[in-house]
Amino acid sequence: MTTTYPPLALTMGDPAGIGLDITLALWAEREQLSLPPFLFIGCPAALSGRAATLGLDIPLVRATPENAAGHFSAALPVLAVPCPAEAVAGVPEPRNAPAVTDAIETAVSLTLAGRTAAVVTNPIAKAMLYDAGFSYPGHTEFLAALAAQATGRAFTPVMLLAGPKLRSVPVTIHIPLKDVPAALSEDLIVETAVITEQDLRRRFGIARPRLAIAGLNPHAGEGGALGAEDDAIVRPAVERLVARGIAAIGPLPADTMFHDAARATYDVALCMYHDQALIPAKALGFDDSVNTTLGLPFIRTSPDHGTAFALAGKGGAKPDSLLAALRLAAALALNERTEGVAA
């Protein structure tokens, strides 16, 4: 596939999970899929071992960002980040946690330097990383911290689930449901919406994004009868967005936001908590939705599923979401270069 940008940086994720399986499966079908070239950043031994387990004959080549695309048609290019311990399919190993995070750090560094076009992350197992001292709630927060360390600027990362039928953003993410009302604020909703609107314009190429803002409570609070937060927090936030010239409506009852006719009226749904955004996203596009992080100085996408340890090494893992993540990352990178916008 001919490109006008550097290769994508694809991290290995947890080497015991299905990230290796789906990476190998996609490269094996690279020509049929017109797969955008990527540089796999991770453990060569784990990748070749998984290929043997799956009965795949996949040649690997040690590569750099500068020569990865040239190798891509004949061999899977790898930038080595060795695992301290053997990677066994389906058996997470805390001793390999440093390699998992090192691969992510390397991908971010290369992309910020312009040597790779975007970061595409295979799934990680947060519980295993926590056991090894990882202090971030997830990928999203870790990526924001790496961006801040590299640039000296603070970033507010925004999680966007992008599927063929729906784009959705959770305003609050990895916190217990009972903590959501206290965590919500006008400022948080406005900041999340502004970042979303800006990145939909500059990276997704939507000239004037339309934002549908969900209410927190059933029926968007029913005029206060079912909770005060929608009138006290969400509605004033929407009014502030409209005053800024952003095409925002809400608060809307979440139970009527996601049917076909409703989705045709907006470009993205902003939801107040994790499951309010992710349940419709996964119901409408489980195999081909993409998790992308907005608000960072680089493009990042990821398949919208986990490590699936029970499937690792067995040949049944579907690569559709990783394929969608690679294609979206390539499209966003091309959009930025076409528009002359620096990440």
Side-chain angles (χ1 to χ4, degrees):
M1 180 179 181
T2 301
T3 61
T4 58
Y5 49 84
L8 306 173
L10 175 62
T11 66
M12 70 174 171
D14 192 299
I18 64 169
L20 303 186
D21 303 51
I22 57 181
T23 297
L24 293 163
L26 288 180
W27 186 86
E29 301 292 327
R30 63 202 175 283
E31 293 181 359
Q32 298 91 319
L33 297 171
S34 296
L35 198 65
F38 62 77
L39 175 64
F40 178 85
I41 301 175
C43 181
L47 195 60
S48 60
R50 187 65 53 83
T53 298
L54 295 168
L56 297 173
D57 182 14
I58 306 289
L60 308 183
V61 61
R62 299 292 181 101
T64 67
E66 288 71 31
N67 62 24
H71 287 301
F72 196 76
S73 63
L76 198 164
V78 177
L79 182 63
V81 179
C83 290
E86 181 183 3
V88 179
V91 184
E93 170 55 75
R95 286 179 294 172
N96 286 332
V100 174
T101 55
D102 285 352
I104 299 168
E105 291 175 5
T106 300
V108 169
S109 177
L110 291 173
T111 304
L112 284 171
R115 298 179 66 194
T116 49
V119 177
V120 182
T121 56
N122 266 311
I124 59 174
K126 288 175 282 190
M128 188 275 293
L129 294 179
Y130 295 154
D131 289 344
F134 187 73
S135 60
Y136 300 94
H139 250 135
T140 302
E141 296 83 0
F142 184 41
L143 292 166
L146 292 176
Q149 291 168 16
T151 66
R153 295 186 287 133
F155 296 92
T156 300
V158 171
M159 177 191 292
L160 169 70
L161 277 293
K165 297 181 179 180
L166 174 69
R167 298 184 191 93
S168 63
V169 168
V171 174
T172 63
I173 307 177
H174 297 117
I175 62 174
L177 186 59
K178 66 180 177 61
D179 295 337
V180 169
L184 276 181
S185 68
E186 280 186 47
D187 288 344
L188 178 61
I189 295 169
V190 169
E191 182 179 31
T192 302
V194 168
I195 291 169
T196 300
E197 195 265 353
Q198 289 175 344
D199 273 13
L200 287 181
R201 281 191 289 105
R202 72 180 184 134
R203 287 184 172 157
F204 285 76
I206 301 173
R208 191 164 190 263
R210 300 165 299 169
L211 281 59
I213 316 295
L216 171 66
N217 297 297
H219 303 176
E222 196 77 73
L226 299 178
E229 293 88 355
D230 293 292
D231 285 337
I233 298 172
V234 184
R235 192 178 307 281
V238 175
E239 291 171 352
R240 286 170 57 184
L241 292 170
V242 172
R244 293 180 63 139
I246 293 175
I249 56 172
L252 302 174
D255 62 348
T256 59
M257 280 181 60
F258 300 108
H259 60 83
D260 292 348
R263 295 197 314 276
T265 66
Y266 59 81
D267 298 299
V268 63
L270 260 68
C271 302
M272 296 302 106
Y273 55 92
H274 182 278
D275 284 9
Q276 192 182 56
L278 271 67
I279 287 173
K282 293 188 176 184
L284 291 166
F286 187 79
D287 290 324
D288 47 12
S289 286
V290 177
N291 181 350
T292 183
T293 307
L294 309 180
L296 298 180
F298 54 86
I299 295 164
R300 181 264 178 152
T301 67
S302 178
D304 184 28
H305 58 67
T307 51
F309 291 125
L311 295 177
K314 297 180 179 177
K318 297 180 68 173
D320 303 52
S321 188
L322 178 57
L323 174 60
L326 290 164
R327 285 177 169 168
L328 178 59
L332 297 181
L334 187 59
N335 282 348
E336 282 201 338
R337 282 154 180 79
T338 299
E339 295 299 323
V341 179

